[in-house]
Amino acid sequence: MNAQGERWTAEQVLALAPDAASRTAGGKLAAPGPWSGAGAHGRGVWGLCAGSGSKPYQTVVDLDGPGYRCSCPSRKFPCKHALGLLLLWAGGGGVPEVEGPPEWAGQWLSERRERAERAASTAVAGAADGAAGAAGGRKEPGGVADPEAARRRAERRTQRIAAGATELEQRLADLLREGLAGADHAGYASWDETAARMVDAQAPGLEARVRELGAIPSSGPGWPARLLEECALLHLLNQGFLRLDRLPEALATTTRSRVGLTTTTAELLSSDTAVRDRWLVLGQQDSADGKLTTRRIWLRGQDTGRMALLLSFGAAGHSPELALPVGIVLDADLTYYPAGRPLRAALGTRRPDPPPSPVPSPAAPPVPPGSDIGSALAAYGDALREDPWLDAWPVVLAGVTPIPGGEEGWQLADARTGSALPVDPRCMGRTDLWQLTAISGGRPVTVFGECGHRGFAPITTWDPAPVPLQSPSGTGSTPYGGRP
């Protein structure tokens, strides 16, 4: 159930599926026929699903997380049985509320929650040691980290990154001197070699931007202008890192993060900067590069109004562990990573939903409040002022109507102000744009997405329940196949 004591919607359940095939297979198991012994109690849902063997599959879901366990041999998480069980539960008819789970389900639920409690109780205690280890500090026999060793390792890495930035500056100068026109004939090999040099320099942020540069010449019409823009931004990042001591502290922090000097989660959780709020899950999207699956989950605090982005990673072919259905509300602590305009955060303590009130309370508004186009552009502009390398900023648009377009592209129009916002060209060809148009039916709708210099990329709309908008492959768009 969500924070209002309501069961999830089918759309929220299907948003958890690792791929389109799992969504289809799970939908086929969303009927009472194959299930027996199904029930729900508190934050647990379970059932026995008939399979091809003599024994039914034991399927149990912990709604906190959520987490899944099934005795089937599938390596997908959640598997089709977990999806089918959740869809049956979401429908309200096939999974009754009972006094408690059977032993096989109750044991797993109890063990999982005990592990979560132990992890939460030891997170702060172990954070300092984890941070020191990540920084490269050795521990003395008494278990105390050696701060001097950590400082020396940090200095050596900074020197390597500075050397890499200097080498990259020379590469950009050579490119501009020879002319951009020949970049599409040079091939990707030279960029791949430069990216490998950034790996050696321990600068993953620079590596990602170099690989993006190599993909631009094959990105379609107008690529020389895009290549020049990205070269300028990379030059700005290189120069910023080489002159960190001259930058304001907020911009210096952002620059360090952009080159790849990020703060560890252990360091964040050991700080006293957590923000507690009731966080509404606005959207979730996955992107894959063949080696890694990256899941992005956007939230907005109901009291603070702050946006937050959670990142979770999984190996190729495996869904990341963290999955939060769109539309639920979490009472949780988030700690933001340092930045001039903080957005990415780490999920800390999550608190259980309050017990249902004996007196029914008014249902919370199903559609989140949003802004007009002018306010959305201003929000991106304010964020861009703090982070010059920012591609887009998450916003909720209210009262906009999708307008299909031809060569000019799609738009989101606001009849109240007579303004329109172009849809990001990288979204062209996505069938969910027509899904958004069908939901709108020519009427204004509320849409969550990312607003940037290329336009607006829709992620979720409401009908009035949240409807995740997915690309045909089930993954989100990324610039030129580059960084997520």
Side-chain angles (χ1 to χ4, degrees), residues 54-420:
S54 58
K55 287 187 176 182
Y57 296 124
Q58 296 178 338
T59 308
V60 57
V61 178
D62 183 356
L63 299 177
D64 285 328
Y68 322 93
R69 181 186 181 279
C70 185
S71 58
C72 74
S74 174
R75 293 188 176 184
K76 294 182 179 181
F77 296 96
C79 67
K80 63 180 181 181
H81 305 101
L83 290 171
L85 176 62
L86 285 174
L87 287 170
L88 185 63
W89 168 75
V95 182
E97 292 287 336
V98 297
E99 291 297 325
E103 182 179 358
W104 61 268
Q107 181 178 357
W108 180 80
L109 290 168
S110 298
E111 291 176 351
R112 174 179 165 82
R113 287 163 189 172
E114 288 174 2
R115 288 195 302 270
E117 290 172 1
R118 288 196 300 269
S121 63
T122 59
V124 175
D129 287 346
R138 296 180 179 178
K139 290 186 179 179
E140 297 177 352
V144 179
D146 181 358
E148 181 61 24
R151 185 189 63 80
R152 289 196 299 268
R153 285 182 62 90
E155 286 183 353
R156 286 196 295 269
R157 185 180 179 189
T158 299
Q159 292 169 0
R160 281 193 288 267
I161 295 177
T166 301
E167 180 180 345
L168 188 52
E169 283 290 274
Q170 184 60 51
R171 175 74 173 86
L172 294 176
D174 292 343
L175 173 66
L176 296 178
R177 183 173 57 253
E178 296 169 3
L180 297 179
D184 60 335
H185 302 300
Y188 191 80
S190 61
W191 292 111
D192 193 50
E193 179 182 352
T194 303
R197 298 285 294 169
M198 297 304 104
V199 174
D200 295 339
Q202 294 183 288
L206 297 181
E207 177 215 354
R209 288 187 170 270
V210 168
R211 294 194 185 282
E212 183 177 320
L213 286 180
I216 291 177
S218 60
S219 64
W223 68 263
R226 292 194 293 273
L227 181 59
L228 183 60
E229 292 171 0
E230 293 299 324
C231 284
L233 287 172
L234 185 52
H235 169 67
L236 181 66
L237 183 56
N238 291 333
Q239 292 297 319
F241 187 80
L242 294 172
R243 292 169 171 78
L244 275 178
D245 56 341
R246 306 182 192 178
L247 299 180
E249 182 55 35
L251 184 56
T253 300
T254 299
T255 303
R256 294 189 192 96
S257 175
R258 288 294 182 180
V259 299
L261 287 172
T262 57
T263 305
T264 66
T265 302
E267 289 178 281
L268 288 179
L269 296 179
S270 67
S271 67
D272 297 325
T273 58
V275 179
R276 180 178 178 179
D277 206 335
R278 294 177 60 78
W279 300 93
L280 171 64
V281 180
L282 292 171
Q284 173 178 298
Q285 278 193 344
D286 292 354
S287 59
D289 62 4
K291 298 180 180 179
L292 191 69
T293 299
T294 301
R295 173 166 293 161
R296 300 191 295 170
I297 301 176
W298 293 268
L299 307 97
R300 184 171 68 179
Q302 292 187 333
D303 296 329
T304 63
R306 295 185 66 174
M307 290 288 187
L309 172 65
L310 304 180
L311 293 182
S312 182
F313 304 94
H318 294 268
S319 179
E321 181 178 352
L322 182 62
L324 301 175
V326 178
I328 69 169
V329 178
L330 308 175
D331 182 359
D333 294 336
L334 295 186
T335 304
Y336 286 89
Y337 285 80
R341 178 59 64 95
L343 179 63
R344 185 186 175 190
L347 179 61
T349 303
R350 291 180 58 181
R351 298 167 182 83
D353 296 338
S357 171
V359 179
S361 58
V367 180
S371 63
D372 58 23
I373 290 175
S375 299
L377 291 173
Y380 173 58
D382 290 342
L384 189 64
R385 185 172 60 245
E386 306 292 339
D387 183 354
W389 305 279
L390 189 67
D391 273 330
W393 187 257
V395 296
V396 178
L397 289 176
V400 293
T401 305
I403 307 296
E407 295 182 358
E408 295 79 14
W410 288 60
Q411 294 182 332
L412 296 176
D414 188 343
R416 300 167 300 178
T417 61
S419 58

